[in-house]
Amino acid sequence: KPPPPPPPLLTSDLRPLIFHARDDVSSLETDTPQARKEGWDRIQLFALFFQPGGVDIVPWGDALPQMATSQMKDLGWNGLFPFAWRPKSGPHPPGKSHYSESIAKLSSVKGVFCPPVLQKLIFDREPQRVLAWADEVSKWDFQRVIPAHLKRDIACSPRQFREAFRFLEDPRGNYPCNLEAPPLCGDARFLEDVSESLVGLGSVGGPDAGVEALRAQRRLASGAGKAPPSRGGDGWGLFRN
């Protein structure tokens, strides 16, 4: 679950927060509580989804020349800022929304959830082995866990821990962090394309067919559609969004 913004660690050097508080390469930001919050919110989305649904990717042919127009080169990357955050009023591509909706959804999660990259790229390959491990851990007697990401040392029962893995077995989405329902389904598109691309390259095996069937049911139940959108739009490298 996202902690209150921002962690004290990031206030010792404010450049990352101010860098990500900008909407695009031409934005000029100052250090304000709102800028710190926006920067932290966006850092979390990048960490969880790699390419959140609230950003538009600027093609390299445009992003590189735009470096010369940046007013905040002192923040790093010599002015490079190859993306733009869409305003709340949009327009937003189908299935995507303003980043603040994703932050609100994540902040409302009660309990714990599996990071999206594990849901979309790792645990969905061998669900029975993952569930067997989760069943075993949920037999332990514990009251708190220390996650690898976001808020640390949180209250968590064995039952809540087990619920974090229901994405491998629940057709309705009654668990924390349903990536097949708005708004997070828009954020998860890039990870879905990474999966598709890596399978196409022969680098990894595909998701379990049973898990994919459950995902299709959750998309229908949430109104997100029958399947992820076809490849298209802008992205980095081999991957699209």
Side-chain angles (χ1 to χ4, degrees):
K1 185 174 182 177
L9 178 66
L10 288 181
T11 61
S12 61
D13 183 350
L14 294 172
R15 287 178 298 173
L17 292 174
I18 304 305
F19 180 94
H20 285 287
R22 296 179 296 162
D23 292 331
D24 53 43
V25 68
S26 63
S27 298
L28 185 63
E29 283 287 347
T30 57
D31 177 24
T32 65
Q34 182 62 23
R36 292 189 184 194
K37 179 185 183 306
E38 291 179 354
W40 173 231
D41 286 347
R42 294 168 176 181
I43 287 173
Q44 293 177 84
L45 291 176
F46 270 123
L48 288 171
F49 296 100
F50 297 173
Q51 188 174 307
V55 296
D56 290 329
I57 300 305
V58 178
W60 291 116
D62 297 326
L64 294 177
Q66 289 176 359
M67 293 169 64
T69 69
S70 173
Q71 303 182 69
M72 305 195 75
K73 293 184 179 181
D74 57 315
L75 296 179
W77 298 95
N78 198 31
L80 179 65
F81 199 86
F83 48 87
W85 293 90
R86 292 189 302 275
K88 198 163 191 174
S89 59
H92 301 288
K96 297 186 179 182
S97 57
H98 191 251
Y99 81 93
S100 63
E101 295 185 25
S102 300
I103 287 294
K105 185 64 175 179
L106 291 170
S107 298
S108 70
V109 169
K110 298 184 184 303
V112 296
F113 62 87
C114 285
V117 66
L118 296 182
Q119 292 194 37
K120 293 293 186 180
L121 296 176
I122 300 177
F123 286 167
D124 59 346
R125 268 54 181 179
E126 297 189 64
Q128 297 310 313
R129 293 181 64 183
V130 174
L131 289 172
W133 173 80
D135 286 339
E136 189 63 29
V137 174
S138 64
K139 296 176 184 176
W140 300 353
D141 181 16
F142 58 88
Q143 291 80 43
R144 307 188 70 80
V145 297
I146 302 178
H149 305 287
L150 301 178
K151 193 173 182 180
R152 62 172 179 82
D153 187 18
I154 59 175
C156 178
S157 67
R159 179 186 59 80
Q160 289 175 313
F161 176 86
R162 182 59 178 80
E163 285 182 351
F165 297 88
R166 286 183 58 79
F167 68 94
L168 295 172
E169 57 188 355
D170 188 337
R172 297 179 299 278
N174 295 328
Y175 57 86
C177 195
N178 179 8
L179 299 183
E180 281 72 56
L184 300 182
C185 58
D187 296 294
R189 284 188 184 181
F190 181 68
L191 294 176
E192 291 166 348
D193 185 71
V194 169
S195 174
E196 179 184 331
S197 299
L198 292 177
V199 171
L201 292 170
S203 301
V204 298
D208 178 83
V211 173
E212 286 290 83
L214 293 172
R215 286 171 170 163
Q217 293 180 62
R218 294 195 293 265
R219 290 188 185 99
L220 285 175
S222 70
K226 294 183 179 180
S230 58
R231 300 184 76 198
D234 293 320
W236 288 308
L238 297 172
F239 310 122
R240 312 300 292 176
N241 191 18

